[in-house]
Amino acid sequence: MAILDERPVWSMTGSEKLSALDAAHAEIARLQARCLHLSAGLDADGYAQEMGARDTVQLLSVRYRLDPADVRRDLRLARALHKYPAVTAALGTGRSADSDSSAPLVTVNPGQAEVIVSALEKVPSSAGVPVEDLRVAEEAMVEAAALLPLADLRKLGQEMRERLDTDGPEPRNEDDASSREALWIKKADRGVTFGGYLAGENAELFETLIFAGAKPHKTPDGRRDPRPRSKRQADALSAVLTTAAGNGSAVPGHGDIKPHITVTIDLEDLKDATGTRGRGYLVHGDTLSAAAVRRLACDAGVIPLVLGSNSEPLDVGAEHRFVTRAIRQALNARDKGCIACGAPPSMSEAHHITHWADGGPTSLENLALLCKRDHINVHRGHLTVHMKNGHPVINRPTWSDPDPPPVLGNTA
């Protein structure tokens, strides 16, 4: 095993730090390649079953506390490496670019190896591609890996596949594509991760709604939207889901009844104006802070199940306690969107100026439209809202303005 420079970072020059980082990455790649070969050997031996595991994926994911999807991907690469000598030779330790031993080494890391092998594995045997041609493609991609970013290496793999399999895959009809549609949802820390595949008009509808809702908006002071594209797209999807749930027709069989989120929370926690104590419990097992429950309970999308001191249900909120359709239409007409940043009504939520848990009525005189971001800021105390001449007014926070310049004394 290579001995790495383990001097304290503070004692190293910039050049020394970069050289040490080069050595660390090379050692990591070497060890990752070693892990791939060992994993493939274990899998070929069937040793996982001997130990009582279901398969090698289960053995490695449980033993090393890894995500089974990552283990399955790496094992797929490990199983295929024996068919790709150029990749195997370059993986981790590197190989000469030609027969001349004085030529520089060409090295690929496991990520690059996975891209190369995955591209060539997708060339079907039915295409009848000669082994020599596959070797040439493999060699070319290994050479290119020394120069290309991973995204460009993937594009090259696609081009290689198209050149080798000139006929390409048989075209799929629309029914085939539709039958492959799928959505997966997996629990994550304080939320879910998800992914899947949509085809045809469903894919077009999804992209249209997400792209339309993810357009950047300037901040109230005229600066560029600080959200990255991934966050804007997540906000757009949340807005689409909120709108669909609000119109009562999102889920077949619900008729005109909205699908609600139900949160169980202690009464004293809910009444805590700052929301710094207690949590609300969701049906699917996650929790929300009391502050988040207070914000969500402003609108009709959440029903709080309020518990007394002995954990007995005191009240289950009914939708008419919150914002009815007629009130919401009046809010849209009066406020015309978020009163803080001007986001349209479709992206805004109804906010109780005096929270209903504190006795505030559900009426136009006690409601205002706020986008989700500004709604959160109001409930955190960063912004405040008050009514003036029948219209809600947002108060700028004290920290939004710079301190006045000091008054200079008379130098005369």
Side-chain angles (χ1 to χ4, degrees):
M1 180 179 293
I3 299 177
L4 301 179
D5 189 344
E6 295 186 358
R7 286 181 296 159
V9 173
W10 59 265
S11 68
M12 304 168 70
T13 66
S15 176
E16 289 172 335
K17 292 172 190 172
L18 189 58
S19 295
L21 195 59
D22 289 342
H25 275 281
E27 184 65 11
I28 290 170
R30 189 189 70 81
L31 290 173
Q32 286 177 325
R34 178 67 172 164
C35 287
L36 288 173
H37 293 307
L38 290 171
S39 299
L42 275 175
D43 188 63
D45 294 341
Y47 191 62
Q49 290 84 346
E50 290 184 28
M51 295 188 66
R54 182 179 64 249
D55 53 24
T56 307
V57 171
Q58 185 185 45
L59 171 65
L60 299 182
S61 61
V62 172
R63 187 178 181 90
Y64 302 115
R65 308 330 187 244
L66 300 172
D67 190 320
D70 294 336
V71 174
R72 192 173 293 108
R73 180 200 61 221
D74 291 344
L75 191 57
R76 189 164 52 243
L77 169 62
R79 288 167 175 160
L81 277 176
H82 72 278
K83 296 186 289 184
Y84 300 97
V87 174
T88 302
L91 184 59
T93 55
R95 66 173 181 83
S96 295
D98 52 39
S99 57
D100 182 2
S101 59
S102 64
L105 291 178
V106 176
T107 304
V108 298
N109 59 46
Q112 294 171 311
E114 194 276 331
V115 168
I116 298 170
V117 170
S118 176
L120 297 176
E121 283 285 284
K122 290 178 181 177
V123 178
S125 57
S126 60
V129 179
V131 174
E132 294 78 11
D133 291 351
L134 289 172
R135 287 285 177 265
V136 170
E138 179 190 356
E139 293 276 350
M141 290 192 69
V142 168
E143 300 295 337
L147 302 172
L148 296 180
L150 207 58
D152 290 340
L153 189 62
R154 287 195 184 93
K155 293 178 182 177
L156 178 61
Q158 174 71 27
E159 293 175 6
M160 288 290 188
R161 201 160 66 241
E162 291 173 353
R163 291 179 187 177
L164 293 170
D165 182 15
T166 54
D167 292 336
E170 293 185 8
R172 297 178 180 268
N173 60 41
E174 292 183 4
D175 291 338
D176 288 339
S178 178
S179 67
R180 292 187 293 117
E181 289 187 325
L183 173 68
W184 57 263
I185 303 174
K186 185 169 66 173
K187 281 289 185 182
D189 182 29
R190 298 192 179 184
V192 297
T193 57
F194 57 92
Y197 170 74
L198 293 176
E201 67 272 18
N202 291 335
E204 182 68 17
L205 177 61
F206 180 79
E207 290 186 291
T208 299
L209 292 175
I210 296 301
F211 292 164
K215 293 179 180 178
H217 295 279
K218 288 186 176 180
T219 62
D221 56 4
R223 290 182 296 176
R224 295 180 60 182
D225 195 325
R227 300 172 299 164
R229 183 175 64 176
S230 58
K231 173 58 175 168
R232 298 201 311 270
Q233 292 183 165
D235 289 346
L237 179 58
S238 297
V240 170
L241 295 176
T242 301
T243 301
N247 66 23
S249 60
V251 181
H254 275 70
D256 198 38
I257 302 173
K258 301 176 185 178
H260 289 88
I261 300 171
T262 300
V263 184
T264 303
I265 190 169
D266 182 84
L267 176 62
E268 295 304 316
D269 293 340
L270 183 62
K271 291 173 67 176
D272 179 21
T274 62
T276 57
R277 49 177 287 179
R279 300 192 69 79
Y281 295 87
L282 300 171
V283 172
H284 293 286
D286 287 332
T287 63
L288 292 174
S289 68
V293 176
R294 285 176 63 89
R295 173 178 58 82
L296 292 171
C298 283
D299 214 340
V302 170
I303 294 180
L305 173 56
V306 183
L307 303 180
S309 57
N310 295 321
S311 296
E312 78 279 10
L314 296 179
D315 181 62
V316 178
E319 185 176 346
H320 66 267
R321 282 184 57 187
F322 305 114
V323 180
T324 65
R325 185 173 300 174
I327 292 177
R328 179 59 195 236
Q329 290 174 340
L331 271 175
N332 292 350
R334 185 194 69 188
D335 295 349
K336 298 180 176 57
C338 176
I339 62 171
C341 70
S346 61
M347 297 176 61
S348 302
E349 304 168 348
H351 166 69
H352 284 72
I353 298 173
T354 301
H355 201 278
W356 62 263
D358 302 323
T362 302
S363 63
L364 278 177
E365 293 73 23
N366 190 47
L367 293 169
L369 286 184
L370 293 167
C371 71
K372 187 171 185 177
R373 180 175 57 182
D374 289 319
H375 200 172
I376 291 173
N377 284 331
V378 167
H379 279 269
R380 286 177 175 173
H382 299 326
L383 299 169
T384 58
V385 181
H386 71 277
M387 296 298 293
K388 182 177 181 180
N389 298 327
H391 289 270
V393 177
I394 199 85
N395 295 329
R396 291 170 61 85
T398 55
W399 45 259
S400 65
D401 295 317
D403 293 334
V407 177
L408 299 178
N410 189 348
T411 59

